[in-house]
Amino acid sequence: MSENVKQLQQLEDPYLSARADDMEDLKKRMINRIQNRDSAGDLDVSELDTRKNAIIVADNLSPTQTIELDLNYVRGFITAEGGGLSHTAILAKSLGLPAIVNSPDCLQEINEGDLLVVDAAQGLIVVNPDEQTLQDYQQKLAELQQQNEKMRLLVNQPAQTRDGHKIALFANIGTEKDIALAKDNGAEGVGLFRSEFLFMGKKQAPSEEEQFLAYRHVVEQMDGNPVILRTLDIGGDKDLAYLEMAKEMNPFLGKRAIRLCFDKPEILHTQLRAAVRASAYGKLKIMFPMVISIEEIRALRTILDDVTRELRSQQVPIGSNIEMGAMVETPAAVMMAAQLIEELDFFSIGSNDLTQYMLAVDRCNPDISHLYNPLHPAVIRAIKQVVDCTHRAGKWVGVCGEMAACEKASMVLVGLGVDELSVSSPLLVNVKQTLSQYTRQELSSLAQQVANAATSEEIEGMINKLIKTAG
Ligand code: PEP
Ligand code: MG
């Protein structure tokens, strides 16, 4: 069928060549059926365009479908399945879109045309609220907007502790369009550019030129401030319709991220060419996801060096000294941190995956979400180990997983000595607000205690105690 799609695309008659889309759609549906997958991939979110203020209620939404939502019409979504750390949930957060991702009965209990309140902060859905409830929520919304206005006073303030210790506070972005929101919220850099979102919602992988323009735009907008581009991280809960991938028993342990790129070197080659070209326009750093070994780092370094040499020989302008880093997302990377960092310029801890792999708890499985806790002593100790190794090597380390934006966790991370935090743009001011309440000493003694604690409960207790003293 892929061959048929290609043949149809090559036809000159525009009517006939457009049939390639139909064939592609048919192919996807057939593969879904044969592999017994659910039908979420068939939901056409573009059909919602004509409805104002829509709230989508679905069995599930893929990250691709989420990225395609038209925010002129969609005000929120509710899904029966999904976990709080799925990329769908992360995307909703960065778009500022209220979302509830694990409401098993939503499809039975909500009907087309119902009036809905989605209280994502409390995880509550109110179906057809009475007049009083509706008024109460309208009031709450107004208060929330006022509070947000107040927080905006912090937008141009540096991120620092009460005694002036500065932390680099960067934004997580998904596509080049997100950079406007990041700047608007005062990001001092981009700590995680999830480049795979550029590859989603398309019929084929973006060309080198398309990628170059997107990366260059972000780098230029950041105006000399760092932009950390993460190379393609497909696999796990993110797939691409045009990339045929075998159905895996454990996708999060499967052919994901650099593993997929090693298997399809042309994708990585194209992406690195685009990235290295964009480095001529600002401060671009390149970061690789899902690393488990020195061999991988060496292989990636060779590919990056080859690309750089190739561009130089073609006299294409490129930046000097492009830093190369890796995400620490696997227990292997934690255990090997001291050796890995010797061959790298920096680390960024991907706590979403690190928590999932340290604790062997699927980040997308709502049935075990009570076990998913970045404030588990094992995760904290892993992070401490990575921070200490990195600093001993004279390098820097950031955290770009969701825990960086969580009030309690951010206190511990800064206390442990993390140099940079990268969070969804709408949450940048919240992190500033939290850190400004404590001195560096308070946070480091908290972190010391936390790193020796035996249970998550003890850790929570220690943090809560310090929060209370700040009053
Ligand atoms: C992480 O794993 O913490 C991370 C930032 O990457 P992603 O959430 O995209 O897997
Ligand atoms: Mg990750």
Side-chain angles (χ1 to χ4, degrees), residues 109 111 113-117 125-131 133-134:
E109 289 178 2
N111 294 308
D114 279 346
L115 185 65
L116 293 177
V117 174
I125 303 163
V126 189
V127 185
N128 294 323
D130 57 32
E131 196 50 41
T133 312
L134 198 58

Side-chain angles (χ1 to χ4, degrees), residues 140-172:
K140 259 193 199 174
L141 199 58
E143 282 167 14
L144 202 65
Q145 275 155 355
Q146 260 178 6
Q147 206 181 318
N148 286 346
E149 285 301 311
K150 263 200 217 146
M151 292 284 267
R152 282 198 66 79
L153 296 174
L154 290 171
V155 161
N156 296 315
Q157 302 293 319
Q160 57 186 18
T161 57
R162 204 173 76 221
D163 55 332
H165 167 64
K166 293 207 169 44
I167 316 293
L169 183 59
F170 294 174
N172 291 350

Side-chain angles (χ1 to χ4, degrees), residues 85 87 90 172 192 194 196 230 233 238 256 327 329 349-354 363 400-402:
L85 265 294
H87 284 93
I90 291 174
N172 291 350
L192 172 65
R194 287 185 165 98
E196 57 276 9
R230 172 175 80 184
D233 182 7
K238 292 172 284 195
R256 181 183 170 191
M327 297 193 70
E329 297 174 290
I349 300 175
S351 57
N352 303 336
D353 279 314
L354 186 61
R363 62 194 268 187
C400 60
E402 298 305 290

Side-chain angles (χ1 to χ4, degrees), residues 50-98:
T50 53
R51 301 167 190 220
K52 292 248 147 112
N53 291 333
I55 292 172
I56 296 176
V57 184
D59 50 357
N60 210 347
L61 278 179
S62 69
T64 305
Q65 288 168 327
T66 312
I67 213 166
E68 285 179 331
L69 296 177
D70 185 337
L71 299 185
N72 291 317
Y73 305 107
V74 177
R75 292 284 176 267
F77 65 80
I78 302 167
T79 61
E81 297 160 23
L85 265 294
S86 66
H87 284 93
T88 297
I90 291 174
L91 268 170
K93 208 185 287 175
S94 63
L95 296 170
L97 201 60

Side-chain angles (χ1 to χ4, degrees), residues 103-122:
S103 175
D105 300 326
C106 65
L107 288 170
Q108 287 77 47
E109 289 178 2
I110 300 170
N111 294 308
E112 184 74 41
D114 279 346
L115 185 65
L116 293 177
V117 174
V118 180
D119 181 351
Q122 305 293 328

